[in-house]
Amino acid sequence: MNEILLGIDPREQSVPALVWAADEAVRRGLALRLVVAVPPAHGGFWYDALARQSALRIRADSAIADAEDLVRGLHDGLRIATERVNGVPATVLCDMAAHAALVVVGSRRLARAAEVLSESSVAVPLTARAACPVVVVRAPEHTTVPPPTVVVGVDGSEASRDAVAFAVEEASLREARLRALWVWPRSVLAHDDGEEGLDERRRLLAESVAGWAERYPDVAVSREVLRGHPVEQLALASRESLSLVVGRRGRGGYSGMRLGSTVHGLLHRAPCPVITVPCQQRERRTHDSARADRSRSGTAGRPVHAAPPGTGTRPPPRGTVGLEHTRGPSTGSAER
């Protein structure tokens, strides 16, 4: 967990993602690992596939060299490692995320169907499966709008509590304020749409962020309950923010669903970097349950692809979000 992982796309280098990852590595005092995955070449004769694979490797090596040069120009002295791996990019990065503090990728702005189904899709499948927080950078962060602000979506779930914990730490590192938002959708039930419902959500929001001001006295925390659609309101609130932090899953969806619909929408619409935080407690329970089921069925010794491990008596109302060739480490002459 002593490095930040940056996925390099040889077809479309994301400079905002590279800058964000390099700056974050410096802020956290971590190494930065630049990884490019070369997907398998399909179709045609074997010699055609071999030629395409060779061309992809050449392009990958060029992209990762350019990325390293750019990072060194930003932070000469930052510890950098580069790595080229054969495999589907989302799968490669997800496997490596088990040993990273953060994974950062750019967004190719694919259509929704392509983001989910295409082999070239990275942001959505990685966000849904990675064992550590994933940062998707579509555009440069808003560093020129005072005061610097980190926005976190809250709905009282385990996932959003983990998102709050990450967001407070991030705000402290950035010397920014934290804006905690609970988005309350319009209800068709009149009895749930009055002042009593608003007071209840304000109480639950206060409980969700309670105690963090004492642990991070340098971070000013504001709390707001907004009315409307979660994706629209959170995207609007993050227009001038450094980043938007959300939990991987909210209270909506079905059991076993890895990525909430709010996160899906924000990955396509939020105008700032989106940081999705996995629910560590839920991921650990899922992992332990899967291991127990395999043990009972006599399959404990077989390789199984499982998800990586990562109050109150009344459930809170539904809100926003759940939250081959390797060049080893290298250093520059002096120290995103």
Side-chain angles (χ1 to χ4, degrees):
M1 303 292 184
N2 62 345
E3 65 182 14
I4 289 177
L5 191 64
L6 173 65
I8 301 295
D9 186 348
R11 292 163 296 186
E12 185 180 348
Q13 177 68 272
S14 174
V15 174
L18 191 151
V19 171
W20 197 99
D23 290 346
E24 189 73 3
V26 171
R27 279 190 291 267
R28 293 178 176 267
L30 301 177
L32 178 64
R33 181 173 295 273
L34 310 178
V35 177
V36 60
V38 179
H42 301 295
F45 295 104
W46 68 268
Y47 48 81
D48 290 332
L50 190 63
R52 288 196 300 273
Q53 194 75 5
S54 177
L56 287 173
R57 289 182 182 135
I58 292 173
R59 183 186 297 179
D61 286 341
S62 176
I64 205 166
D66 290 343
E68 183 178 8
D69 289 343
L70 180 54
V71 171
R72 294 213 180 282
L74 294 171
H75 302 288
D76 189 17
L78 174 64
R79 291 174 295 154
I80 303 173
T82 62
E83 191 167 355
R84 190 190 74 204
V85 184
N86 289 331
V88 177
T91 302
V92 168
L93 291 173
C94 189
D95 290 342
M96 299 181 72
H99 308 288
L102 287 172
V103 180
V104 183
V105 293
S107 173
R108 298 180 60 214
R109 300 173 186 262
L110 298 176
R112 283 181 178 268
E115 276 285 17
V116 176
L117 302 175
S118 172
E119 186 180 77
S120 62
S121 170
V122 175
V124 169
L126 178 64
T127 299
R129 295 168 48 206
C132 69
V134 176
V135 188
V136 178
V137 183
R138 297 182 60 196
E141 59 189 7
H142 306 290
T143 57
T144 60
V145 181
T149 303
V150 172
V151 174
V152 59
V154 182
D155 70 354
S157 65
E158 291 179 5
S160 75
R161 285 195 286 270
D162 287 338
V164 169
F166 183 94
V168 174
E169 179 187 14
E170 184 70 10
S172 180
L173 287 171
R174 307 296 297 270
E175 298 183 349
R177 65 169 184 149
L178 179 64
R179 189 182 179 195
L181 302 180
W182 186 304
V183 181
W184 183 16
R186 300 288 178 181
S187 175
V188 296
L189 303 176
H191 68 81
D192 190 46
D193 206 36
E195 194 65 29
E196 182 179 349
L198 179 60
D199 290 341
E200 174 71 356
R201 284 158 178 82
R202 286 172 174 165
R203 180 185 67 80
L204 292 168
L205 176 58
E207 290 180 357
S208 298
V209 300
W212 290 110
E214 290 74 18
R215 295 182 61 179
Y216 291 87
D218 58 319
V219 177
V221 181
S222 65
R223 307 188 303 267
E224 300 172 58
V225 176
L226 305 178
R227 302 305 308 270
H229 191 281
V231 174
E232 294 177 356
Q233 292 299 323
L234 287 175
L236 184 64
S238 64
R239 283 188 309 174
E240 298 178 347
S241 301
L242 297 174
S243 59
L244 170 63
V245 185
V246 290
R248 178 177 289 173
R249 276 192 56 206
R251 295 195 171 274
Y254 53 85
S255 178
M257 185 177 180
R258 289 183 181 272
L259 197 63
S261 60
T262 297
V263 180
H264 265 288
L266 291 171
L267 290 178
H268 290 86
R269 296 189 56 181
C272 69
V274 177
I275 306 175
T276 306
V277 182
C279 178
Q280 298 301 326
Q281 295 181 14
R282 179 184 288 119
E283 297 292 337
R284 191 176 300 112
R285 285 200 303 270
T286 301
H287 176 76
D288 292 343
S289 176
R291 183 171 55 187
D293 290 343
R294 295 197 302 271
S295 178
R296 286 194 296 270
S297 60
T299 61
R302 303 177 192 172
V304 177
H305 297 287
T311 54
T313 57
R314 178 174 48 178
R318 183 175 176 179
T320 57
V321 290
L323 257 2
E324 73 242 7
H325 169 68
T326 303
R327 286 186 288 170
S330 57
T331 58
S333 58
E335 184 123 75
R336 8 160 236 139

